[in-house]
Amino acid sequence: MEYISITNDVKVAQYFEASGIDDIMIDLEVIGKEERQKGLNTVKSNHHVEDISCIKEKLHTAKCLVRINPIYENSKKEINEVINRGADIVMLPMFKEKEEVERFIDMVAGRAQTYLLLETTQALTRVNEIIKTKEIDAIHIGLNDLSIGLGLKFLYEPLIGGIVEYLAQKIKSEHIRFGFGGISKIERSKYILSEHFRLGSEMVILNRHFRNYKETYEEIVSSTDLKSEITKLDDYNNILELASHDELLANKEKLFHEIKHQMKSL
């Protein structure tokens, strides 16, 4: 499993890397985000393009993943700058059609890995065309904005509606790596991690609960043994490799029951 975590703090990024996190994400997406997620308890970062150089300079094994803005008039300039500053992976959010993905791939021009963040209803509808695009390295299914776009009450509702499984099957048919959503520490994530395994997901974002909702280096280090927590996830993934198909389906039903229970309280 490829673990992704978001920060623009150099010391936090180094701690993440030492703990076993694979990708340090710098989030530059601002266009349209405030309007889409207004009033919701979502993270809206204050990262800056200069953060890329600072983070990249201190990384040794982890990759620097940069989420850019959706395609707009200055996308080529933005993409050139994030790559020149050291981005190993460039992630495109909020695309709606194949043409946007093709423009993104062309602008990256093989200089970095290309990840797509599939999170619009238009991309969901057009997934058959989009996944035919050459040189897509991975696709992450963004549950927050996808659930908003579908008018759903809860970000995990696309799971119980079969949408994530549908997208997983489509993406895997083109041999493209994929992941979806985020996870918490193991005590809250066994069933969702099992569903990742059952669907063939290979990447996930570690959410704020994973670091006890702390942001500064001192707070995170004092409250969370991150390496130990990641080891617990890895150990559970090893257990899942021995699980039967029926056991995975049983975990899926337990997960769906939990999601429905949470939805009732909304």
Side-chain angles (χ1 to χ4, degrees):
M1 184 67 75
E2 179 178 345
Y3 300 120
I4 303 168
S5 201
I6 303 172
T7 187
N8 68 334
D9 184 303
V10 172
K11 291 180 71 175
V12 173
Q14 290 177 301
Y15 180 57
F16 284 173
E17 178 184 62
S19 301
I21 290 175
D22 302 285
D23 303 330
I24 309 300
M25 181 193 284
I26 295 170
D27 184 9
L28 301 182
E29 184 192 2
V30 293
I31 295 176
K33 194 167 187 178
E34 181 67 35
E35 183 180 347
R36 289 195 317 271
Q37 300 184 359
K38 188 175 182 179
L40 299 176
N41 183 27
T42 55
V43 179
K44 300 175 183 67
S45 74
N46 60 346
H47 296 186
H48 305 284
V49 70
E50 293 81 9
D51 297 329
I52 301 169
S53 307
C54 299
I55 295 287
K56 177 61 179 177
E57 182 183 353
K58 298 297 183 180
L59 297 181
H60 300 286
T61 57
K63 292 181 178 179
C64 180
L65 187 163
V66 181
R67 175 162 59 185
I68 59 171
N69 282 294
I71 294 295
Y72 70 118
E73 62 271 15
N74 289 323
S75 286
K76 186 171 184 178
K77 179 181 178 181
E78 181 177 337
I79 289 169
N80 284 340
E81 183 166 11
V82 302
I83 292 174
N84 289 339
R85 286 183 176 275
D88 300 295
I89 305 165
V90 185
M91 175 181 276
L92 177 68
M94 296 304 295
F95 59 91
K96 298 178 180 178
E97 56 191 7
K98 183 179 181 181
E99 288 73 18
E100 291 172 281
V101 175
E102 290 175 333
R103 288 176 62 194
F104 167 64
I105 298 292
D106 287 344
M107 286 186 279
V108 174
R111 295 173 293 165
Q113 287 186 280
T114 52
Y115 283 17
L116 303 181
L117 185 57
L118 195 160
E119 53 186 345
T120 68
T121 55
Q122 294 92 335
L124 167 64
T125 304
R126 297 164 179 162
V127 66
N128 285 329
E129 298 177 6
I130 290 166
I131 58 177
K132 297 294 183 183
T133 309
K134 302 298 182 183
E135 299 180 46
I136 299 171
D137 289 302
I139 298 176
H140 192 84
I141 302 166
L143 297 182
N144 263 329
D145 279 303
L146 185 58
S147 61
I148 292 169
L150 290 166
L152 303 177
K153 295 196 300 182
F154 188 44
L155 69 96
Y156 283 113
E157 212 171 335
L159 265 172
I160 63 175
I163 293 170
V164 174
E165 183 157 5
Y166 165 79
L167 287 171
Q169 291 171 349
K170 293 289 184 181
I171 295 166
K172 288 192 298 182
S173 73
E174 291 296 324
H175 308 288
I176 300 171
R177 296 172 57 247
F178 87 97
F180 65 89
I183 55 171
S184 305
K185 292 180 182 179
I186 190 64
E187 61 265 21
R188 287 172 55 174
S189 298
K190 285 189 174 181
Y191 296 144
I192 187 68
L193 201 57
S194 176
E195 190 66 354
H196 274 271
F197 183 85
R198 188 184 74 84
L199 295 177
S201 167
E202 298 181 57
M203 55 199 297
V204 69
I205 296 172
L206 303 181
N207 66 21
R208 287 176 290 168
H209 174 263
F210 210 86
R211 57 198 196 201
N212 292 325
Y213 300 97
K214 307 299 183 183
E215 297 298 330
T216 70
Y217 172 77
E218 289 76 14
E219 290 174 333
I220 295 170
V221 170
S222 64
S223 68
T224 309
D225 184 346
L226 206 57
K227 187 171 185 178
S228 173
E229 295 298 334
I230 290 174
T231 297
K232 291 175 186 177
L233 295 181
D234 289 336
D235 288 345
Y236 189 64
N237 271 318
N238 291 335
I239 291 171
L240 290 171
E241 289 185 6
L242 302 176
S244 68
H245 179 66
D246 287 343
E247 288 173 319
L248 295 175
L249 287 178
N251 285 344
K252 169 191 167 183
E253 292 306 315
K254 291 173 183 176
L255 172 66
F256 286 13
H257 176 77
E258 285 187 353
I259 293 171
K260 291 174 183 176
H261 179 71
Q262 291 181 59
M263 288 171 59
K264 289 179 180 178
S265 64
L266 295 177

